[in-house]
Amino acid sequence: MKKAGKKISGFRMWLLVWGLGLAGQICWNMENQWFNTFVYAKIGKNPSIITGMLIFSAAATTFATFFFGTWADRTGKRRKFISVGYILWGIFTIAFGLTQFISRDLYVLAGVMVVLADTVMSFFGSMGNDAGFNTWTNDIMTDKNRGQIGAALATQPVLGTILGTVVGGLLVGENDNYMRLFIVMGVFVIAFGVITMFSMNEADDVAPSVRGSFASQFFSVFNFKKFFKLKELVLVNVAVAVFFIGFNVYFAYIGNYIIYYLGYSADMMGIIEAVPLVLAMLTAIPISMLINRNKHIPVVIASIIINIVGLLIIAPVKNTEVDPTQMFNLRIWLGIFLVGVGYIGILQTTKVWTKQLYPKDSKGQFEGIWILFFVLIPMVGGSILGEAVVKTSGEQFLDEVSGQMNYIPNGNIYFVGSIIVALSLIPFLLTAKHFRKRISQEKAE
């Protein structure tokens, strides 16, 4: 790997950017999507378990990002956090699948163990991906490559969703073989942890940032005075939190909506999501060009509107209007495509946008603040709202074998999600003044 001035460049850099990024996003996709269908298939059709998983895993993710982000800032190193984190992430992904062997008679114990296993997996996933990999990409970002890195980081979740749903669906198959899925995905993530150990170089302009004891430096990030002085960063993070609260209302239930409400099989579900998202992903190229031209505000506004239109196309679809033996349904595919375009636009733009605003001596810790607004707040708020929508307005029936009430999500999750997504327009519009002022100052310099 060659070094150019202060920054790393070259083939191996991009190999790691894409390899680690995709491995991480595929694993996150599996957690956010297949773990939820796993619960419905192997434990019980109860959204309360999914809510518990989302809340506790989000808390573990946030704590781990702050903790390991502080540690990484103090050492000025990222590689060991990425490598160890990815290896343990893969191991506990495999371990998660073992919860299916708990007797169905021990319903409460099974639910608790699922939540616990997901929490531990998320903790180490955040160590490797959020505190390690995301901070490393910040280290190597320059004015020349920020659009390309932003495009990579934004398209990776979509590629992860595509690969995760298609390959995941094929691995699970019609016989619900989730253990096969978890083993394959776990080994894949472990492999990239090992590769990182031997192939990653650190950015040479990152110096250790030690400010007092570890505890004082760790808790200093919770003194939000420094954060709230960065008004543009605050508003972008608030907008991200609102958008992704709406996103989490419906996203956690998409798989169960397609499988248990519309009636498609798990392998068909992967294709139904993948094809529209492949097309949506093509928009990342023009979006990256707009980002490089500092067109952040119009991109996020257009993305929100497109996302809302997609959600409102899907929401009215009834299961009586869908033939689950026919994979193509224009309304569902068009809706997913537009939702994907909006999602890519928001994620791609805000990832680059926030990284430009981080203090140079606290990049790792400010990744923790990003996780706070991107993961913790949205997953807690979105999951609670999503569960309420599913339980109050979804399909319900009593499972005579387990005696448990089953809840199936319907299109109402998209209606509610679209309303919350629309509210994110307000803080995004409020950033315009601060954004234009900063860009003018940068041009003047």
Side-chain angles (χ1 to χ4, degrees):
M1 184 179 293
K2 297 180 180 180
K3 294 181 180 179
K6 292 184 177 181
K7 294 291 178 181
I8 297 173
S9 62
F11 172 76
R12 270 202 290 165
M13 181 198 82
W14 286 108
L15 178 64
L16 289 170
V17 167
W18 279 100
L20 287 167
L22 276 178
Q25 290 303 325
I26 289 172
C27 205
W28 284 135
N29 167 260
M30 181 177 59
E31 178 184 11
N32 294 331
Q33 185 160 255
W34 291 109
F35 278 20
N36 300 332
T37 59
F38 167 83
V39 167
Y40 265 49
K42 301 294 185 181
I43 308 299
K45 296 175 178 62
N46 187 343
S48 294
I49 300 176
I50 293 176
T51 299
M53 289 168 58
L54 290 172
I55 290 175
F56 281 95
S57 66
T61 295
T62 305
F63 174 78
T65 305
F66 278 120
F67 180 81
F68 292 112
T70 301
W71 194 349
D73 282 341
R74 288 174 67 85
T75 62
K77 306 295 182 183
R78 320 298 185 192
R79 181 175 59 187
K80 64 181 180 181
F81 297 98
I82 298 172
S83 182
V84 174
Y86 269 66
I87 290 171
L88 293 174
W89 193 8
I91 290 172
F92 283 100
T93 294
I94 297 171
F96 177 86
L98 299 176
T99 59
Q100 69 181 294
F101 299 113
I102 299 174
S103 172
R104 296 292 288 271
D105 294 331
L106 303 174
Y107 181 77
V108 174
L109 175 62
V112 170
M113 292 305 297
V114 163
V115 173
L116 179 61
D118 185 31
T119 301
V120 174
M121 194 209 82
S122 297
F123 179 82
F124 289 113
S126 187
M127 173 187 178
N129 189 257
D130 297 317
F133 172 72
N134 284 337
T135 306
W136 179 73
T137 59
N138 198 350
D139 293 340
I140 64 175
M141 190 178 291
T142 67
D143 290 339
K144 292 182 179 179
N145 66 21
R146 69 183 182 187
Q148 292 84 349
I149 290 178
L153 296 178
T155 54
Q156 284 165 4
V158 182
L159 282 173
T161 299
I162 293 166
L163 294 172
T165 50
V166 173
V167 176
L170 294 174
L171 290 171
V172 173
E174 295 182 357
N175 61 343
D176 287 342
N177 191 338
Y178 281 89
M179 197 66 225
R180 180 167 55 199
L181 167 66
F182 298 148
I183 291 173
V184 171
M185 294 299 185
V187 169
F188 180 55
V189 173
I190 291 169
F192 268 96
V194 174
I195 290 170
T196 299
M197 190 180 298
F198 298 102
S199 64
M200 176 179 281
N201 287 347
E202 305 282 358
D204 63 343
D205 66 334
V206 178
S209 176
V210 179
R211 303 189 302 276
S213 66
F214 181 92
S216 63
Q217 189 167 342
F218 173 76
F219 286 108
S220 69
V221 78
F222 298 101
N223 181 355
F224 287 100
K225 290 181 180 178
K226 184 177 182 180
F227 171 65
F228 284 116
K229 288 179 181 178
L230 305 172
K231 294 180 181 179
E232 184 182 347
L233 182 60
V234 170
L235 287 169
V236 175
N237 276 287
V238 169
V240 166
V242 175
F243 180 90
F244 281 99
I245 286 173
F247 174 83
N248 279 285
V249 167
Y250 63 85
F251 184 75
Y253 296 99
I254 283 182
N256 288 325
Y257 165 82
I258 293 175
I259 295 172
Y260 296 103
Y261 179 70
L262 298 183
Y264 291 100
S265 61
D267 50 350
M268 291 177 73
M269 182 203 80
I271 297 173
I272 290 169
E273 282 194 45
V275 176
L277 288 175
V278 167
L279 298 174
M281 189 180 63
L282 298 176
T283 61
I285 298 172
I287 288 172
S288 68
M289 296 177 181
L290 291 170
I291 291 172
N292 284 339
R293 293 169 56 194
N294 293 316
K295 301 295 183 181
H296 300 48
I297 304 295
V299 169
V300 295
I301 292 173
S303 298
I304 290 169
I305 294 171
I306 291 169
N307 187 269
I308 291 169
V309 172
L311 292 171
L312 294 178
I313 289 174
I314 302 173
V317 176
K318 304 294 184 184
N319 54 5
T320 54
E321 303 169 350
V322 174
D323 181 359
T325 65
Q326 300 296 319
M327 195 175 300
F328 180 75
N329 181 289
L330 178 60
R331 291 164 67 186
I332 295 172
W333 285 46
L334 177 61
I336 292 175
F337 168 74
L338 294 175
V339 168
V341 171
Y343 169 75
I344 291 170
I346 292 293
L347 189 61
Q348 183 173 345
T349 308
T350 56
K351 269 186 172 288
V352 173
W353 196 347
T354 53
K355 286 178 185 293
Q356 291 176 274
L357 303 173
Y358 289 169
K360 291 183 178 180
D361 62 346
S362 304
K363 291 178 182 178
Q365 287 182 307
F366 270 74
E367 283 296 338
I369 290 178
W370 165 261
I371 292 300
L372 183 67
F373 285 91
F374 176 62
V375 176
L376 182 62
I377 295 172
M379 288 183 73
V380 172
S383 63
I384 291 172
L385 286 171
E387 179 185 351
V389 173
V390 173
K391 282 191 170 182
T392 57
S393 63
E395 307 292 314
Q396 302 179 22
F397 65 92
L398 183 67
D399 187 335
E400 296 181 356
V401 176
S402 66
Q404 300 293 324
M405 183 65 72
N406 288 348
Y407 301 91
I408 308 300
N410 57 20
N412 289 327
I413 55 175
Y414 304 107
F415 275 126
V416 175
S418 69
I419 294 170
I420 300 171
V421 165
L423 294 176
S424 68
L425 280 168
I426 299 171
F428 271 127
L429 289 171
L430 291 174
T431 62
K433 178 179 69 174
H434 302 287
F435 176 80
R436 293 191 185 104
K437 180 180 178 181
R438 177 174 59 84
I439 295 300
S440 297
Q441 290 175 342
E442 289 177 355
K443 288 181 178 179
E445 294 173 358

